[in-house]
Amino acid sequence: METINDFFSLMSSLLWGWPMIILLLGTHVFLTFRLGIPQRKLLTGIRLSVQKDKEATGDVSQFGALATALAATIGTGNIVGVATAVALGGPGAVLWCWLTGIFGMSTKYAEGLLAVKYRVRGEDGRTYGGPMYALERGLGLKWLALLFAIFTALASFGIGCTVQANSIALLASETFGVPAWIVGIGVCVLTGLVIMGGVKSIARVCTVLVPFMALLYVVGCVVILFMNGHYVWPAVQLIVQSAFNPSAAGGGFVGATVMMAARYGIARGLFSNESGMGSAPIVAAAAQTRNPVRQALVSSTGTFWDTVIICALTGLVLVSSILAYPDITYDDGAALTKVAFSKIPYVGAPLLAFGILTFAFSTILGWSYYGESAVNYIEGRRINRFYRILYITALFFGSIISLDIIWNIADCMNALMAIPNLVALLLLSGVAARETRKYLWGGKLDEDMDESET
C-alpha cells in the first residue's frame, strides 16, 4: 500500500506541476482575449443568475445550476487551501490566486457555453451535457469523451466523496467529540435523502445551503477584517509587494521566491474554482436557458464568487491577522486559519467549524451529480441507482479510514479530467467565439437558440 501511495503521490506532483499550471493559466488568458473579455459582462451574469426563465428548456433554473456548481467548488480549499498557499508561498500567493480567478472566469464561461451548445435530451426527458458531449458531438472524439467520463466518475469518489466525508468526521471528532462512525452514518443519511431525488433535489437543497453558508462565512471574514482594521491596508500592500518581491514580507517568509508565490497561488486558485477541470459544465447543461451565452455568463460568476471574492477575503483575513498578531505560527495552513478565526470572541471557532462542515457537505452533493452524469454517459441510467448506493457507502468508509492514498489518487483524477476538457475548450474556441459574437456582442442575448445548429 505504501508503494501504491508513493506512486500516486509522484504522479500527482507531476500532473499538477508547472506544465499543468501553465496550460490551465494559458487557457484562461487565451480564452479571455479570444472571446472579447467576457468578464466585462459580470453584472449581466449576476442579474441573469437570479432571474427565472421558465419558458426556456432545461431541468433546473439557472440559479439552481449555479448553486449546484458552487456547492461542488466552494469547499475546504477556500479556507485551509488558501492558508496553505500563504504558508508555503508567502502573502503574495493571495494576489496570484486572485488573478487566476479573474482570468478563470473566461474559461468557466466557455465551459458553460459549450455545455449548453452540445447538450442532449435523453429518452427519459432529462437534459445531459458537459465536456464528454462537447468532445463527442463537437469534435467526434468519442474515445476522449469516454476517458473524461471515466476520470470524472473516479474523481467523484475521491475529492467529492471520501475526502470530504473524512474532513467532516475529523472536524466533528476534534471539535465536538462525536465518534467518526456516527458522523459517517449521519452524512450517509443526509446525502441519501438529497441525491436520491436526482438533480432537481440536489439543486433545491443547494439553492438554500450555498447562499446561507457563503454569506455566513463572508460575515465572519468581515468581522475579522473589522477587528484587524488598522492592518487591512498594510496587508493589501504586503500582498501586492510580496507577489513580485517576496522578501518584502520579511519574517518567516524570507525563503519564499516569486516562483513559489506564483506557483502556490495559481495552483490553489485553479484547484479551488475548478475552471478548466470540466466539472461545472456538467450541471450547467441542465440549466433552463434560452441560448448558450446566457448560461455561460451565469457560469462565469461561479469563479467570481468562489475565488475573486471568497478566496480573496480569506487571504486578506490571514495576512492581516499575521500583521496584527505577530505571535501567530503561519507555517501550517490549518493552524493559521484556526488562530485567525479564534480571534472572534466566543463564536470564532464554531463559525469556522460550521463553515468547513457545510462547505464539505455541499461538495459531496455537487460531486454526486457530476459522477452520476459521467456514469450515465458510460453505461446509461440503468446503473444510476447502483452508483448512488455505492457513493453513499463510500461516504461511510471515507469517514472512518485514513485517506492519504485517496487524496493522491483524487488529485491525479482531477488533473486527468482537465486534459480532455482543455482539448475541447481550445479546439472549440472558435465555436465559443462565434456564439459569443452572435448573442453577447451582437445584442441577441434574449433570443432563443436554434437547436438545429447543435
Side-chain angles (χ1 to χ4, degrees):
M1 185 63 68
E2 184 177 348
T3 302
I4 296 174
N5 187 44
D6 290 342
F7 170 78
F8 280 105
S9 178
L10 177 61
M11 286 293 295
S12 176
S13 298
L14 292 174
L15 288 169
W16 282 107
W18 274 111
M20 176 61 77
I21 291 175
I22 292 172
L23 179 60
L24 278 165
L25 187 59
T27 300
H28 292 350
V29 175
F30 168 73
L31 289 174
T32 293
F33 294 101
R34 182 76 171 88
L35 302 175
I37 315 179
Q39 291 92 328
R40 291 182 289 162
K41 293 293 184 177
L42 171 64
L43 294 179
T44 301
I46 294 175
R47 174 177 60 81
L48 291 174
S49 70
V50 295
Q51 288 182 345
K52 290 186 176 181
D53 193 358
K54 295 182 179 180
E55 295 182 0
T57 57
D59 297 335
V60 298
S61 68
Q62 289 186 308
F63 183 73
L66 174 63
T68 303
L70 281 173
T73 54
I74 297 181
T76 54
N78 297 84
I79 304 176
V80 179
V82 174
T84 301
V86 171
L88 297 175
V94 177
L95 179 62
W96 291 108
C97 179
W98 186 79
L99 289 173
T100 301
I102 292 291
F103 285 103
M105 289 172 61
S106 61
T107 298
K108 192 64 72 73
Y109 169 95
E111 289 179 318
L113 189 155
L114 295 176
V116 175
K117 175 73 174 177
Y118 294 108
R119 67 184 181 181
V120 299
R121 179 74 67 177
E123 295 179 358
D124 57 354
R126 290 174 56 185
T127 304
Y128 298 96
M132 50 277 205
Y133 294 92
L135 285 164
E136 179 183 354
R137 303 186 69 210
L139 296 171
L141 299 175
K142 174 74 172 181
W143 64 273
L144 196 56
L146 282 171
L147 281 179
F148 174 84
I150 292 170
F151 294 144
T152 301
L154 293 175
S156 71
F157 287 103
I159 194 64
C161 177
T162 51
V163 166
Q164 303 301 326
N166 192 259
S167 298
I168 292 174
L170 286 175
L171 184 64
S173 177
E174 294 175 359
T175 307
F176 308 110
V178 182
W181 67 271
I182 293 180
V183 176
I185 292 175
V187 172
C188 289
V189 171
L190 290 175
T191 302
L193 290 173
V194 177
I195 70 173
M196 285 300 179
V199 65
K200 292 184 178 181
S201 175
I202 294 172
R204 280 196 300 269
V205 173
C206 290
T207 53
V208 176
L209 179 61
V210 170
F212 174 73
M213 72 181 192
L215 180 61
L216 193 61
Y217 178 72
V218 168
V219 168
C221 289
V222 172
V223 170
I224 296 176
L225 291 177
F226 179 79
M227 294 172 61
N228 298 346
H230 293 297
Y231 299 94
V232 172
W233 180 243
V236 172
Q237 293 178 308
L238 181 60
I239 288 171
V240 175
Q241 292 171 2
S242 58
F244 307 100
N245 180 26
S247 61
F253 297 114
V254 292
T257 65
V258 174
M259 294 294 285
M260 289 174 64
R263 176 184 176 184
Y264 289 110
I266 293 172
R268 181 45 52 200
L270 294 172
F271 197 78
S272 171
N273 58 54
E274 297 183 12
S275 293
M277 193 179 297
S279 51
I282 294 175
V283 69
Q288 295 169 340
T289 185
R290 300 182 196 181
N291 59 64
V293 170
R294 290 174 70 92
Q295 181 55 35
L297 289 170
V298 173
S299 294
S300 70
T301 65
T303 299
F304 171 77
W305 297 121
D306 176 273
T307 304
V308 180
I309 298 297
I310 295 181
C311 283
L313 273 176
T314 301
L316 194 56
V317 162
L318 297 173
V319 177
S320 64
S321 295
I322 290 172
L323 295 177
Y325 310 102
D327 57 324
I328 286 182
T329 301
Y330 42 80
D331 58 353
D332 184 316
L336 173 58
T337 308
K338 290 179 181 178
V339 172
F341 273 82
S342 68
K343 299 301 179 180
I344 304 178
Y346 307 111
V347 300
L351 176 63
L352 177 62
F354 179 79
I356 293 176
L357 288 173
T358 52
F359 282 14
F361 181 67
S362 69
T363 301
I364 290 172
L365 298 181
W367 269 93
S368 71
Y369 179 71
Y370 295 161
E372 182 176 324
S373 298
V375 169
N376 182 77
Y377 180 81
I378 299 169
E379 282 293 333
R381 293 191 71 239
R382 59 183 177 274
I383 63 170
N384 279 3
R385 188 171 296 275
F386 172 75
Y387 169 82
R388 293 173 186 172
I389 294 173
L390 190 62
Y391 191 85
I392 293 170
T393 303
L395 285 172
F396 177 76
F397 286 103
S399 302
I400 61 175
I401 62 175
S402 176
L403 289 179
D404 288 344
I405 188 172
I406 301 298
W407 264 110
N408 289 324
I409 294 175
D411 285 345
C412 291
M413 293 303 106
N414 287 339
L416 291 173
M417 281 176 62
I419 295 172
N421 181 56
L422 292 173
V423 170
L425 285 171
L426 293 173
L427 295 184
L428 292 172
S429 62
V431 174
R434 185 174 66 247
E435 296 290 304
T436 300
R437 286 194 301 270
K438 175 182 177 180
Y439 293 106
L440 186 58
W441 309 128
K444 299 180 179 180
L445 199 56
D446 293 329
E447 289 191 6
D448 292 334
M449 173 177 60
D450 185 354
E451 299 289 346
S452 64
E453 295 180 1
T454 60

